[in-house]
Every structure is written in structure tokens, then in C-alpha cells.
Amino acid sequence: MVRVGLNAERLAQAGAELADEVGFEQVTVSALARRFDVKVASLYSHVRNSHDLKTRIALLALRELADRAADVLAGRAGKDALTALANVYRDYAREHPGRYAAAQFRLDPEAAAASDGARHAQMTRAVLRGYDLTEPDQTHAVRLLGSVFHGYVSLEMGGGFSHSAPDSDVTWTRTLDALDALLRNWPAPEA
Amino acid sequence: MVRVGLNAERLAQAGAELADEVGFEQVTVSALARRFDVKVASLYSHVRNSHDLKTRIALLALRELADRAADVLAGRAGKDALTALANVYRDYAREHPGRYAAAQFRLDPEAAAASDGARHAQMTRAVLRGYDLTEPDQTHAVRLLGSVFHGYVSLEMGGGFSHSAPDSDVTWTRTLDALDALLRNWPAPEA
DNA sequence: GCATTTGCCTAAAACCTTTAGGCAAATTAG
DNA sequence: CTAATTTGCCTAAAGGTTTTAGGCAAATGC
């Protein structure tokens, strides 16, 4: 009975790796126990249940994403910052599809509050400092950017844009052009 | 042994209702069997397996969504059509959260080919006829609209926009204003 | 060195998935 | 209108996941 040295953090880390390999949906307490060559029940000393495990993986992914975003935003502004932030999401999803799916996991209010969700909003807001938007338009724009980033990446990952021309990379570039143009020329509310 | 009269279509229909009640994730062959007061194994004469059941629910949701879209687009053009189409997705997600989640289910290539996915793209393209876009910009715009609709609705459903002002309804309106403005003034590629 | 805490274990119940094989109801054919 | 066939739901059973309870041994602390 050699101890493997499990703890919640290592489980979340390993769960994230497992998610990238087999998909977040397939991450299971059993599968994780197998990976550590340990009996299933042993994991329940470290995570409350399956939902708790998934929540921890989601929090890990959100933190990693926020860290990457903070990294690339340093020293950038305007369209440069917009593009960098957008690519953080897209690249992360490509490198870590399971983790990206985890980041979409519906968190209950307390987990959401303890998550890096607010950091993400804050960083999008930082990008918008490069554009001339007044509150509450800035909030609208934060939500729009979040929608486009998330929507585009998840449709692209789902294969929505494969098998049709033009290449998705081109659309991505043009989408960022379009968003930049839109933010520079944000319309007033219509009648 | 009275026969209930099961078949794949009725199972998908009941599965869709179940999804709206308990969430698409919780739709299970067992739960569906309970709902028909029938033994679990009986369902396996009608659907191949759990994945097949989910696929059928997804196809049902995609069809319903496409039908609604076709309905509202008749006789509309320009921003009126854009708004109508966008609201089809948002309203459907609110009325049928489980079905909407089902519509996001990752379909394997053959199921995708047999789905109403192409109809959706076609209808977005129809909306864009009200704007002056040349191919391939039209394709870029189709993808952008899909991203915004899907992204916004899924973030909103996930509670991303609750608990912060302004109200999500306002942002939605302003988002459609913004998209309309963007489509009327679609930018050329940047250097 | 001894006591306590901690970590992993065995055991077991509950539920979901899926396959195999059977009988009875519904349908079709003569 | 029977008889043959097909179809629909059943029982049985194996295998996997989740979760709780209780136990022993390793690590830690005094």
C-alpha cells in the first residue's frame, strides 16, 4: 500500500490532461482512478463527487486561460490587443480541447464566484480601453466580444466550418477586422 | 403485455421533452424507459444506443429550429430579417433549453449530413441578401452571425450576463444594432 | 516511541448501458 | 378466417460508474 500522493489539485490537473485526451464528457472518477492506478473510492477523500471534480477542472482551465490572456495583453492595445486576446481563446481550444470544454462547464454560483470569470471580463474591458466607448456601451461590447470568441471557437471546434471554403483562418482574420471596425465605429441605439 | 407503441420518432420527441425538463445531459435511455413505463431493454429495438438517441433528439431540435426560422423569415428582409432570425435562436433556447443544448450535440459526419444544418446556413445567407456583400464575404458573415447567435445565447443561458447591469435584453438589442451596422458597412480586409 | 491524522483499501448498494434470447401481440398471406 | 411471420416488449445477465461506510497502514506530530 504505497501512497501515490493524491490531492485535489493533482486530481484536477490529471483530470484536465485526461479531458484533452478523451474529451471532457468522458472524464470520470473511475477513469481518473485508473490513471493513478488507485481504487475508485480513494478519490472520494479528495473530491466530493463527480461534479466537484469537473468543477475543479473547469476552474483550472479558466485560470490557465486568464493567465494566458494576462500574458499577451501586457504591452498591447487597440486591434493588436483585440487580436491577441481572441487568439488566446482560439489557440487554447485547439491545444486543449478538453480543457476548453471544461471552461464551458456550467458552474454553480459559489464556484462561479470563486472562479477567474471576473478576470476574463476585466481583460476584455482592458482591450476596450483602446476604443472610445462609454459605459454602458463598454458592457455591451464586452458581452459581444465574449459571444463572438466563444461562439466562433466552439462552432469551429465542432467542425461547423470545415468542409466549406474559404478556410476558417481567413474568416477568423476577417472577423477580427470586422470587430475592430465595429468597435471603432460603435453605432448609437436605433430609433 | 400491452404494447405502448414505441418507435424512434416518439422516443426522440419524448427525449426532447425530457431534455427540457431535466437537461440534455440527464437524458438517459433508462429515464426515457421510465417515462414510458417500459423496461429499459425495450428501447433498444428502436434506438441503437444512447448516442443514437441523443443524435435523434439533436436532429429533432435542429429541424424545429430551422422550421421556426423559415417561418419568421418569410416576407422579411434587412434588419427586420436579421432580428427575427436572431430571436428564433434566443427564444427557442429559452423555451426549450434542453432541446437547444441538444442542437449543440456534436454529430458524427453522417448524422450531420442528414441534419438540417445546411438549412440553417442557407437561411442566414438569405438574411444577408438584404445587405450588399459579395462572396466570399457573405460566407465570412454567415460564420460571424452564427458565432454571435450561438455564443450570445449560450453565454446568456449559462448565466454569464445575469447579476450585472445593464439587462441582457438591452445588450441583445444593441448587439443586433451593431451587427446590422457592421453588415451595412462591411470592412475590406486590412493590410 | 506513541498518538493522531491521513490516505488508500475492501465491501456493497444503486443506477445506467448493452446484448441475448423468449413469448405474445399485431400484421400479412393464403 | 386461420396460419405464418414479423414486431414489440419482456426477463436475464454482464459490465461499468457513482457514492457511502468502515478498516488498516503509512505519515506526521508531540
Side-chain angles (χ1 to χ4, degrees):
Chain A
M1 278 178 214
V2 186
R3 294 196 183 187
V4 188
L6 303 180
N7 59 56
E9 190 52 33
R10 281 196 66 193
L11 290 183
Q13 186 66 44
E17 287 162 20
L18 182 59
D20 285 335
E21 291 167 22
V22 304
F24 183 61
E25 300 291 294
Q26 321 303 322
V27 171
T28 194
V29 181
S30 295
L32 204 52
R34 272 193 296 277
R35 166 162 297 224
F36 280 104
D37 200 33
V38 138
K39 296 299 171 184
V40 188
S42 306
L43 300 203
Y44 282 85
S45 322
H46 305 286
V47 295
R48 252 201 313 288
N49 50 38
S50 181
H51 184 274
D52 180 38
L53 171 64
K54 286 182 184 147
T55 296
R56 287 173 192 273
I57 299 172
L59 294 177
L60 172 75
L62 286 171
R63 177 158 32 87
E64 284 187 354
L65 259 173
D67 288 347
R68 283 195 184 198
D71 255 22
V72 305
L73 284 189
R76 287 186 219 263
K79 193 187 176 189
D80 190 29
L82 176 71
T83 302
L85 181 62
N87 280 324
V88 162
Y89 290 107
R90 188 168 183 241
D91 293 345
Y92 189 79
R94 292 171 150 189
E95 293 167 32
H96 300 294
R99 284 159 149 99
Y100 186 79
Q104 255 56 64
F105 185 65
R106 175 82 121 111
L107 297 174
D108 40 56
E110 53 169 341
S115 81
D116 287 37
R119 271 180 82 203
H120 286 274
Q122 209 45 51
M123 283 187 288
T124 306
R125 222 166 262 278
V127 167
L128 292 176
R129 275 201 283 275
Y131 298 89
D132 198 28
L133 296 175
T134 58
E135 271 303 354
D137 281 346
Q138 206 174 66
T139 301
H140 298 318
V142 166
R143 292 169 172 178
L144 173 58
L145 290 183
S147 299
V148 175
F149 296 164
H150 168 53
Y152 194 96
V153 169
S154 84
L155 290 182
E156 186 181 39
M157 289 279 104
F161 304 154
S162 349
H163 308 313
S164 73
D167 195 273
S168 180
D169 284 348
V170 178
T171 299
W172 180 245
T173 304
R174 299 301 307 281
T175 293
L176 296 178
D177 289 351
L179 288 176
D180 175 61
L182 180 61
L183 293 171
R184 280 190 282 98
N185 209 344
W186 189 260
E190 305 222 347
Chain B
M1 276 178 214
V2 186
R3 296 194 180 187
V4 188
L6 303 180
N7 59 56
E9 190 52 33
R10 281 196 66 192
L11 290 183
Q13 185 65 43
E17 287 162 20
L18 183 59
D20 285 336
E21 291 166 23
V22 304
F24 184 61
E25 300 291 295
Q26 322 303 323
V27 171
T28 194
V29 181
S30 294
L32 204 52
R34 271 193 296 278
R35 167 162 295 226
F36 280 103
D37 200 34
V38 138
K39 296 298 170 182
V40 188
S42 306
L43 300 204
Y44 282 84
S45 323
H46 305 286
V47 296
R48 253 202 311 289
N49 49 39
S50 181
H51 183 274
D52 180 38
L53 171 64
K54 286 184 184 144
T55 295
R56 287 173 192 274
I57 299 172
L59 294 177
L60 172 75
L62 286 171
R63 178 158 32 86
E64 284 187 354
L65 259 174
D67 287 347
R68 284 197 184 196
D71 255 22
V72 305
L73 284 189
R76 288 187 219 263
K79 194 189 176 190
D80 190 30
L82 176 71
T83 302
L85 181 62
N87 280 324
V88 162
Y89 290 106
R90 188 168 182 239
D91 293 344
Y92 189 78
R94 293 171 149 189
E95 292 168 31
H96 300 294
R99 283 159 149 98
Y100 186 78
Q104 254 56 65
F105 185 65
R106 176 83 121 110
L107 298 174
D108 40 56
E110 52 168 343
S115 81
D116 287 37
R119 270 179 83 203
H120 286 274
Q122 209 45 51
M123 283 187 289
T124 306
R125 222 167 263 277
V127 167
L128 292 177
R129 274 201 284 275
Y131 298 89
D132 198 29
L133 297 175
T134 59
E135 271 303 351
D137 281 346
Q138 206 174 67
T139 300
H140 298 318
V142 166
R143 292 169 173 178
L144 174 58
L145 290 183
S147 299
V148 175
F149 296 164
H150 168 52
Y152 194 97
V153 169
S154 85
L155 291 181
E156 186 181 39
M157 290 278 103
F161 304 153
S162 350
H163 308 312
S164 72
D167 195 271
S168 179
D169 284 348
V170 179
T171 300
W172 181 244
T173 303
R174 300 301 308 280
T175 293
L176 295 178
D177 289 352
L179 287 176
D180 175 62
L182 179 61
L183 293 171
R184 280 190 282 98
N185 209 344
W186 188 260
E190 305 221 346

